Amino acid sequence: EVQLVESGGGLVQPGGSLRLSCAASGFTFSSYWMHWVRQAPGKGLLWVSRINSDGSSTSYADSVKGRFTISRDNAKNTLYLQMNSLRAEDTAVYYCARGYGAPGGFDYWGQGTLVTVSS
Amino acid sequence: DIVMTQSPLSLSVTPGQPASISCKSSQSLLHSDGKTYLYWYLQKPGQSPQLLIYEVSSRFSGVPDRFSGSGSGTDFTLKISRVEAEDVGVYYCMQGIHLPRTFGQGTKVEIK
């Protein structure tokens, strides 16, 4: 069974940093692109970032470029999102999702982890 | 960026009746490989999104056959043949052909 479990969310002050993790199991993690998608409270879905299967290629939404860094450790079956210079508008539930091909969508999502940026 | 536009944004349906959601993209989602990268997701209350339909019309594993997708190019439709109580939530279309991946605004489906 494919499982994606996010962790690392919490309350952080504006300008602060946080690192999210996504632990994957039930599939060959190193074979798949992975993505982060976020959802602000009461809002829709917004794609944040993606990384290819070996970690050699990454992409970001304009709103997080230069502040967020996606990475992965295929030996640990874990995806990461390092978030720096956080702003109030980054407040959201952050989901990791498995890529379903490239190009392609997402087939499995984690349960999400809430990041709140507030003083 | 590709803009995805859904309609309607909300839908109230009597159980057993059909429902239909439209999704239009600002660019064609037809790839040179012949596939069209349009996806449908359902986010049930308090849950993460789940994949319903991939590449316009293919049902994902475990998705009931009352859900069907159709369309081509820039115009797509998700149909529920007979809505059940468990189908409530917000439905999103998403394009998977270009980065950034982009979603429609979501269509909230409730039961009358």
XYZ file of all heavy atoms in Angstrom, chain B residues 25 57 71:
16
model
N -9.433 24.720 -20.048
C -8.047 25.140 -19.897
C -7.729 26.231 -20.910
O -8.312 26.285 -21.989
C -7.098 23.958 -20.093
O -7.264 23.374 -21.366
N -10.121 10.482 -19.125
C -11.250 9.551 -19.036
C -10.939 8.222 -18.356
O -11.836 7.366 -18.264
C -11.786 9.266 -20.442
O -10.767 8.715 -21.251
N -13.899 14.681 -22.882
C -13.415 15.952 -23.391
C -12.149 15.799 -24.199
O -11.600 14.693 -24.355
